[in-house]
């Protein structure tokens, strides 16, 4: 069974969502903030996080959320983790949870070898408090 490594509690900034319609597709940019917790790391999402969703003329949607986490690693050291989280969906596709492929980069000396070398997967869950992204280490 895959191992849960952290949860991101997303707070969408609905007032600043921007969209563009084109003859070849649609783009939605969703700014967000929030908090993160887990055994490895806890902290907040730095200002500037955005989920860019591009739906092409074939009605395939690519979601790419990019954001920086600021907080402390499991040893209590201040650090940052950059997250790029990608997913692909067909228009109208409504899975619960939705699946993603995250990539991490960090300045934490104790987390770098783990986050830079291992494979991970993400899941997006909607609950009564909003969107929660859960990241898992893929365990063979």
């Amino acid at each position: 069974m895959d191992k849960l490594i952290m949860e991101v509690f997303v707070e969408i900034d609905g007032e600043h969502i921007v969209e563009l319609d084109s003859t070849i597709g649609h783009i939605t940019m969703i700014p967000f903030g929030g908090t993160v917790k887990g055994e490895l790391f806890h902290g907040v999402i730095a200002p500037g996080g955005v989920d860019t969703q591009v739906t092409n003329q074939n009605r395939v949607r690519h979601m790419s959320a990019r954001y920086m986490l600021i907080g402390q690693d499991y040893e209590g050291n201040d650090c940052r983790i950059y997250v790029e989280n990608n997913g692909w969906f067909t228009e109208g596709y409504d899975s619960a949870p939705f699946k993603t492929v995250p990539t991490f980069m960090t300045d934490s000396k104790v987390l770098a070898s783990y986050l830079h070398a291992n494979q991970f997967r993400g899941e997006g869950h909607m609950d009564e408090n909003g969107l929660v992204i859960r990241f898992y280490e893929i365990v063979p």
Side-chain angles (χ1 to χ4, degrees):
M1 179 170 210
D2 294 347
K3 179 183 176 187
L4 179 65
I5 63 164
M6 70 179 93
E7 295 179 293
V8 179
F9 300 90
V10 177
E11 298 169 8
I12 294 172
D13 179 1
E15 293 181 22
H16 294 99
I17 294 172
V18 293
E19 297 184 78
L20 177 146
D21 279 311
S22 167
T23 58
I24 61 168
H26 179 84
I27 298 172
T28 305
M29 296 181 75
I30 306 166
F32 62 92
T35 59
V36 59
K37 70 176 184 177
E39 290 181 19
L40 298 176
F41 176 89
H42 67 277
V44 298
I45 300 172
V50 66
D51 178 12
T52 302
Q53 299 186 6
V54 178
T55 304
N56 68 21
Q57 62 269 35
N58 293 318
R59 296 189 305 244
V60 174
R61 182 170 35 129
H62 173 225
M63 181 228 39
S64 182
R66 296 172 187 206
Y67 50 102
M68 187 78 68
L69 305 176
I70 300 174
Q72 291 80 40
D73 62 28
Y74 65 86
E75 288 188 347
N77 302 307
D78 290 340
C79 66
R80 295 172 187 233
I81 300 173
Y82 169 75
V83 180
E84 181 175 335
N85 196 23
N86 289 285
W88 292 264
F89 313 93
T90 56
E91 187 175 28
Y93 182 76
D94 187 23
S95 70
F98 63 85
K99 312 284 190 207
T100 63
V101 179
T103 302
F104 303 104
M105 185 182 300
T106 185
D107 60 1
S108 166
K109 290 182 171 94
V110 298
L111 295 179
S113 63
Y114 177 72
L115 290 177
H116 297 167
N118 289 312
Q119 293 185 357
F120 302 94
R121 67 179 181 84
E123 291 183 356
H125 297 263
M126 290 299 293
D127 67 18
E128 64 278 356
N129 298 316
L131 178 61
V132 178
I133 305 295
R134 294 187 176 110
F135 293 121
Y136 296 86
E137 176 187 1
I138 298 171
V139 178

